[in-house]
Amino acid sequence: MAERAQYEELARQLGAIGAVTRDMGRILPPDCPGGSAAVLTLLGRYGDMRMSKLAELLAVDISVTSRHVAQVADRGWIERSPDPADKRSRILRLTVPGRIQLDELSLRTTELLAERLSDWSQDDVDLLIQLMARLRASFGDCRSAPRLVQLAPATRSVADQTTRTPA
């Protein structure tokens, strides 16, 4: 098991990942914010799906998913059609303009990563992919409450060990 100092450094490095995600967000077209890009990416990867499945994959509440879906649908990048198995539900599907937008997003992201990681070996990139996938899997469904680890109590100071009653 790793040492506490290693976990502290890992926490700092994960916090600094925000700079990487902000830089990646800057390459998104103005009409395609991060939530919209995530919807397109997941529909491109997994195919047609219900809103509930998309919310699960995004690991966000259905109300947040609904806002993202509305933005993407308003731009004509997806269509929402009745689910034949349950008329109350909708099936989300990429449209041709949505696939074109997704291809553009993929190209921009790939080019940025290729530029920023140009001095990395292929083995280093492969290792990063493996470790990030493993980290994500270790966290499972991020919508659930985290498991809190019971930490050992800190060493008590001499002042804490006194038996005198405060005046």
Side-chain angles (χ1 to χ4, degrees), residues 70-130:
Q71 291 169 349
V72 174
D74 289 347
R75 288 174 175 83
W77 296 336
I78 66 167
E79 61 183 16
R80 298 175 278 194
S81 54
D83 182 348
D86 180 358
K87 298 294 183 195
R88 298 169 297 168
S89 199
R90 299 273 184 225
I91 298 291
L92 309 174
R93 176 176 295 112
L94 278 176
T95 61
V96 171
R99 288 203 181 278
I100 292 168
Q101 182 66 31
L102 180 58
D103 290 345
E104 175 66 21
L105 293 171
S106 179
L107 178 66
R108 288 175 182 226
T109 303
T110 301
E111 287 177 351
L112 177 67
L113 289 170
E115 174 193 321
R116 295 297 200 274
L117 305 180
S118 63
D119 60 339
W120 287 41
S121 71
Q122 185 174 345
D123 288 343
D124 285 346
V125 174
D126 286 342
L127 180 60
L128 178 63
I129 292 166
Q130 291 170 12

Side-chain angles (χ1 to χ4, degrees), residues 1 5 9 17 19 25 32 42 49 53 57 61 65 67 73 83 87 97 108-110 121 133-134 137-138 143 148 151:
M1 185 167 186
E9 180 58 24
I17 284 292
C32 188
L42 290 171
M49 68 182 75
K53 179 64 177 179
L57 291 171
D61 188 73
T65 303
R67 285 193 300 274
D83 182 348
K87 298 294 183 195
R108 288 175 182 226
T109 303
T110 301
S121 71
R134 185 173 171 193
S138 292
R143 293 177 301 160
L148 297 177
L151 299 175

Side-chain angles (χ1 to χ4, degrees), residues 26-39:
R26 288 183 191 104
I27 65 166
L28 296 175
D31 62 340
C32 188
S36 296
V39 168

